[in-house]
Amino acid sequence: MNFSEFSNKYRLRLNAQQSEAVCMVNGPVLLLAVPGSGKTTTLVSRLGYMIEACSIAPESILTVTYTKAAAMDMKRRFCRLFGDSAAGRIPFHTINSLCYHIIRDYAGTISGNRPFDVASEDVRSQILRELYIRETKEYPTPADLDDLKTQISYVKNMMLTEQEIKALDSPAYPFSKLLAGCDEALRRRSLMDYDDQMIYALRFLRAYPALLQRYRSRFEYLCVDEAQDTSKIQHALLRLLAGERHNIFMVGDEDQSIYGFRAAYPEALMQFETDHPGAKVLFLEQNFRSDANIVGLADKVIRHNADRREKQLLATRPAKNEIKKIPVPHLKAQYAYLMKLAADCKTQTAILYRDNESAIPLIDQLERSGIPYISKEREYKFFSHRIVRDIRDILTFCLHPEDADAFERVAMRLGLYVKKETVHAAVTQAKRSGRRVLDLLSEADLSGYQLRNVRSVRTHFQKMRRDTASYALNRIRSYMGYGDYLEKNYPKERKTELLQLLADSVNTIPEFLQRLETLEKRVQEKKTDVESPLILSTVHSAKGLEYDTVYLLDIIDGVLPEEPLRVTRNADPAAVRKLEEDRRLFYVGITRAKNRLCIFERQDRSSMFLREAFAQDKPAGSAAAKKTAPEKRTGLEPLPPDWEPLPEETVYHHSFGKGAVQSYSPAEDAVTILFLSGQIKKLDRKTAVERKLLLKYT
């Protein structure tokens, strides 16, 4: 059966790029798919083509997805097109489920020992909690433990060396000891954590050739979805399994890699031809999802990234709706606008943001007003964050001065400048005597400076009992030393700004504390209102989804991007990578919208991404325009296929204009160019030449 017969039989409607990808069965292939380009349809159609037209056994096609839900979705879509019979025989796996089978196989056929079990989250949390207390002399909040687990996962997925792990230590936070202690405690219990499955599986495959050959023989073809989200150790596993045949079909888009904190490794897409000699790189560039204006804006945004492959983002739908920028003077006005929107929301509308905390003031007002909404999240670390816990403890101690434990938890973050041992002694005495801890502390053997601080803080606590909740928060930050602690330890935090908004909606401190407790319970226990058209979600959770209308919230410097940066040749590479991932996050948010896109523009804190996205083209007569004006394109011709870039060589790019080669990396086959606009771009040489994205002057 040829492709035409196959396509007609199953009534497939694939464009030329999709059809080419479906027919590419043997050898290493990287398919770069822009948002909304039908990549899952292409991937599923290719599976059907391999089985139906090429007579490849379904059992020999290992299909790897990022999540279990994605694997089930792909299987359902395959069933709809090609029936249940073959679908039941195709091994759909996540990397971790594959590793689980490898470890069991090793235990059953080689070691003869019972394999380690994966530790439950409760057991792992208890181990980390005890280690944290022992090493830092602090009690970790749930948010602290979550951050520690994320960091451990990152280290293992990125395959960091012992030296690189030790570089993450600080005097107050010995991460390497926490990691080593946790691993040792798990081993003593014959347990491993979730990511250890990959470490053990890779180790066993490398150490036992017979085991590796068994899997290579079983899975002659590998098909990998969402490759941009795959980590370094996962790519190492896939390369090993692909073997010398290199029958690996990898689908992804480095422009949509937004999980750096989970150790996503989009660099593997950039070096695919190096890892898999003879590889072909294909493209899906037509966006079927979005209004042409949305596609145009997204394309303009992502072109500011340098560490990417050149690709077109082509709209198939007409431009009907203008992008709407909503100017708001400050944070509070943003939520007031959204409440008016929510009250009259009739069509599917998603409010997207970077972090869950951006939704907290909105959820508070929606709950108060009884307006239905769908929340994509269940875990809000906002409430367990150390700053929020501190504010709760400070206000609790204000209302209950006999609560010496609450005071001890925050004492070192107030402007006392008293030793921890002195505070602990006063707390112990207060519990024993029934006296108030600040009274006892004021009687301790302190310097005059320390004594003045203690008395000042005590006076503020006394006055705070009569404050409104809003003024109490201001007093804590501005007059009791807590603001200095935040400036030193959390210079970019937004928690107190959001707490201030919540405090503005109540009067007294008890009402505020009760509201925080109620709100935390509501977001954790909320049942999904499937009938509501109003959806609240982080951009990360919305990836892979689409909505009729999208509102992008908190697109401001300090949030998105987290670290605004002017990219120059001397810029810190790590900071540039972080900036580019933030820009990809903005890009993914934009491309969730099908018909209408609305972006809030804070007039007090605009985002560099908005300035880039809505920058006006220079007038034809301006100096900047003359650098890339059409008449400058005369005397240009294509570069030869074997072009070897030379330093300072002048080239022309169809989007960025005239530029000079800065460097060329043969290992990556990547050329770095400084353009007259000041932008620095790292381009794949082969792609730029083959697609005539770069031209030479004659």
Side-chain angles (χ1 to χ4, degrees):
M1 183 188 299
N2 62 32
F3 174 76
S4 178
E5 293 168 335
F6 167 76
S7 182
N8 290 333
K9 178 179 178 179
Y10 291 102
R11 299 179 181 178
L12 301 178
R13 299 176 62 186
L14 304 175
N15 64 25
Q17 288 185 327
Q18 292 171 325
S19 299
E20 181 184 12
V22 167
C23 294
M24 200 67 63
V25 171
N26 295 305
V29 179
L30 174 63
L31 179 62
L32 296 169
V34 305
S37 60
K39 60 105 175 168
T40 305
T41 297
T42 304
L43 201 157
V44 168
S45 299
R46 180 178 178 272
L47 291 175
Y49 179 76
M50 293 172 73
I51 296 166
E52 290 281 329
C54 303
S55 301
I56 294 172
E59 294 84 358
S60 68
I61 309 170
L62 173 62
T63 303
V64 179
T65 59
Y66 187 55
T67 65
K68 186 176 180 180
M72 293 301 99
D73 178 62
M74 190 176 297
K75 187 173 183 178
R76 283 192 296 269
R77 294 178 70 163
F78 184 92
C79 287
R80 284 201 296 268
L81 276 174
F82 305 109
D84 297 344
S85 178
R89 295 164 59 196
I90 299 174
F92 291 96
H93 280 290
T94 63
I95 287 282
N96 283 87
S97 69
L98 174 64
C99 291
Y100 172 88
H101 288 286
I102 292 171
I103 292 169
R104 261 62 189 166
D105 202 352
Y106 161 80
T109 61
I110 297 175
S111 75
N113 297 321
R114 182 176 179 273
F116 286 178
D117 291 323
V118 176
S120 70
E121 280 305 298
D122 287 344
V123 168
R124 191 159 168 251
S125 293
Q126 182 60 34
I127 291 171
L128 289 172
R129 186 179 296 107
E130 291 171 359
L131 287 166
Y132 194 100
I133 294 169
R134 187 180 76 195
E135 297 293 342
T136 69
K137 306 300 186 288
E138 292 272 2
Y139 287 91
T141 67
D144 291 333
L145 290 180
D146 284 346
D147 290 343
L148 177 55
K149 290 176 185 176
T150 299
Q151 194 171 17
I152 289 173
S153 179
Y154 179 87
V155 161
K156 293 182 177 182
N157 274 275
M158 286 299 289
M159 307 172 74
L160 296 192
T161 64
E162 187 175 342
Q163 185 177 0
E164 289 170 327
I165 292 170
K166 285 187 175 180
L168 301 173
D169 287 346
S170 69
Y173 186 67
F175 171 74
S176 62
K177 286 186 177 181
L178 295 172
L179 171 61
C182 183
D183 285 347
E184 176 59 29
L186 289 173
R187 279 194 296 271
R188 285 198 305 269
R189 303 182 191 196
S190 297
L191 296 172
M192 60 182 169
D193 72 19
Y194 189 69
D195 297 304
D196 285 334
Q197 294 177 100
M198 294 181 291
I199 294 174
Y200 286 124
L202 184 59
R203 185 181 302 165
F204 297 155
L205 290 174
R206 285 174 170 172
Y208 300 97
L211 182 66
L212 175 59
Q213 188 55 44
R214 188 179 308 150
Y215 277 85
R216 284 179 173 174
S217 299
R218 183 183 304 172
F219 303 127
E220 296 183 33
Y221 296 88
L222 274 66
C223 181
V224 184
D225 192 20
E226 300 290 2
Q228 75 281 345
D229 298 330
T230 306
S231 70
K232 193 171 187 178
I233 192 170
Q234 291 169 344
H235 279 290
L237 275 160
L238 293 168
R239 281 199 307 274
L240 192 61
L241 290 171
E244 295 180 358
R245 282 193 302 257
H246 289 285
N247 283 335
I248 183 167
F249 185 79
M250 194 170 279
V251 186
D253 179 11
E254 77 284 354
D255 289 338
Q256 298 182 70
S257 181
I258 59 174
Y259 291 106
F261 63 96
R262 293 182 187 166
Y265 191 65
E267 290 87 345
L269 275 64
M270 303 297 291
Q271 62 194 38
F272 187 79
E273 297 95 322
T274 302
D275 291 339
H276 302 280
K280 296 184 182 299
V281 179
L282 306 180
F283 294 83
L284 298 184
E285 297 171 301
Q286 288 184 300
N287 178 292
F288 299 101
R289 174 189 298 155
S290 304
D291 181 290
N293 284 328
I294 296 171
V295 174
L297 181 71
D299 188 55
K300 187 175 182 181
V301 164
I302 203 60
R303 285 185 180 279
H304 284 273
N305 272 5
D307 195 15
R308 65 186 292 266
R309 294 193 186 249
E310 281 297 314
K311 61 182 79 72
Q312 304 293 317
L313 188 58
L314 306 171
T316 60
R317 293 180 51 200
K320 288 187 176 181
N321 301 297
E322 293 294 327
I323 309 296
K324 185 177 182 181
K325 272 199 303 180
I326 307 170
V328 288
H330 44 65
L331 185 65
K332 196 170 184 177
Q334 184 175 247
Y335 293 109
Y337 186 102
L338 286 172
M339 282 303 294
K340 291 179 182 177
L341 165 76
D344 197 36
C345 184
K346 298 293 190 295
T347 59
Q348 185 193 52
T349 301
I351 300 171
L352 305 183
Y353 33 82
R354 179 190 189 125
D355 298 315
N356 274 324
E357 63 186 38
S358 290
I360 296 295
L362 179 60
I363 290 174
D364 178 54
Q365 295 182 46
L366 290 170
E367 290 286 345
R368 287 175 179 276
S369 302
I371 297 175
Y373 64 96
I374 296 172
S375 175
K376 303 288 288 186
E377 325 295 333
R378 279 293 173 267
E379 294 297 326
Y380 283 77
K381 291 198 293 185
F382 174 84
F383 296 100
S384 64
H385 192 278
R386 186 170 295 280
I387 292 173
V388 179
R389 289 290 184 97
D390 284 349
I391 296 296
R392 280 175 154 175
D393 279 334
I394 292 170
L395 295 177
T396 297
F397 179 71
C398 166
L399 298 177
H400 304 285
E402 70 282 359
D403 190 344
D405 287 331
F407 175 76
E408 186 170 21
R409 288 193 293 268
V410 297
M412 304 313 295
R413 293 186 268 283
L414 300 176
L416 297 173
Y417 299 99
V418 175
K419 289 183 179 179
K420 184 181 288 188
E421 294 79 9
T422 305
V423 171
H424 183 69
V427 167
T428 302
Q429 188 179 354
K431 290 179 179 179
R432 192 167 52 242
S433 66
R435 293 185 62 194
R436 294 183 175 182
V437 64
L438 277 172
D439 291 341
L440 291 167
L441 204 55
S442 67
E443 297 169 6
D445 184 17
L446 302 174
S447 69
Y449 172 72
Q450 291 171 322
L451 187 58
R452 285 192 297 274
N453 291 335
V454 169
R455 288 173 177 170
S456 173
V457 167
R458 182 175 62 175
T459 299
H460 279 298
F461 270 118
Q462 291 167 348
K463 291 182 177 180
M464 196 191 301
R465 292 172 205 150
R466 299 187 294 273
D467 287 346
T468 63
S470 181
Y471 191 81
L473 292 184
N474 181 61
R475 183 190 294 275
I476 292 167
R477 288 197 313 273
S478 303
Y479 303 111
M480 298 176 69
Y482 194 72
D484 295 333
Y485 164 77
L486 292 178
E487 185 64 31
K488 181 180 179 182
N489 295 279
Y490 300 96
K492 300 164 193 167
E493 70 84 23
R494 303 174 62 229
K495 307 290 187 302
T496 55
E497 184 182 21
L498 298 171
L499 286 170
Q500 193 76 54
L501 280 179
L502 297 177
D504 288 345
S505 64
V506 298
N507 292 315
T508 67
I509 293 172
E511 288 175 332
F512 175 67
L513 290 173
Q514 181 60 51
R515 186 59 195 162
L516 281 180
E517 185 178 332
T518 301
L519 194 54
E520 181 177 13
K521 189 175 181 180
R522 289 276 178 86
V523 297
Q524 289 174 347
E525 298 177 356
K526 180 174 177 61
K527 295 179 181 178
T528 300
D529 184 348
V530 294
E531 299 299 321
S532 175
L534 185 66
I535 300 149
L536 276 55
S537 174
T538 61
V539 176
H540 289 99
S541 293
K543 187 172 179 291
L545 303 176
E546 57 186 41
Y547 306 99
D548 181 78
T549 300
V550 166
Y551 282 78
L552 292 179
L553 197 61
D554 282 345
I555 310 300
I556 54 177
D557 283 349
V559 177
L560 200 62
E562 196 171 47
E563 290 280 358
L565 176 71
R566 184 174 180 271
V567 179
T568 66
R569 67 178 68 194
N570 297 319
D572 175 29
V576 173
R577 284 196 297 272
K578 181 67 173 65
L579 178 72
E580 293 211 343
E581 175 157 328
D582 282 357
R583 190 179 282 112
R584 294 196 294 267
L585 190 63
F586 183 43
Y587 171 77
V588 169
I590 290 170
T591 54
R592 299 312 93 197
K594 292 194 291 185
N595 297 315
R596 283 168 290 277
L597 175 66
C598 309
I599 308 174
F600 285 99
E601 182 176 34
R602 286 264 298 275
Q603 293 165 314
D604 59 336
R605 286 169 64 188
S606 182
S607 166
M608 69 173 289
F609 293 162
L610 290 183
R611 296 191 291 274
E612 291 172 354
F614 293 98
Q616 296 297 313
D617 293 332
K618 301 294 182 183
S622 71
K626 288 178 181 177
K627 294 175 183 176
T628 57
E631 58 269 21
K632 292 292 183 183
R633 298 184 63 169
T634 57
L636 297 173
E637 64 180 38
L639 290 159
D642 60 349
W643 175 57
E644 185 172 331
L646 300 174
E648 304 303 325
E649 182 178 358
T650 303
V651 291
Y652 181 87
H653 189 280
H654 77 108
S655 293
F656 305 118
K658 190 175 183 180
V661 173
Q662 279 195 303
S663 62
Y664 170 61
S665 168
E668 298 178 284
D669 199 19
V671 56
T672 302
I673 301 171
L674 173 64
F675 292 97
L676 288 178
S677 63
Q679 292 176 285
I680 299 174
K681 298 290 180 181
K682 185 178 180 182
L683 309 175
D684 180 79
R685 183 203 64 84
K686 183 180 178 183
T687 302
V689 171
E690 286 181 350
R691 310 189 78 202
K692 297 182 176 57
L693 302 173
L694 282 178
L695 302 171
K696 71 174 183 177
Y697 286 86
T698 58

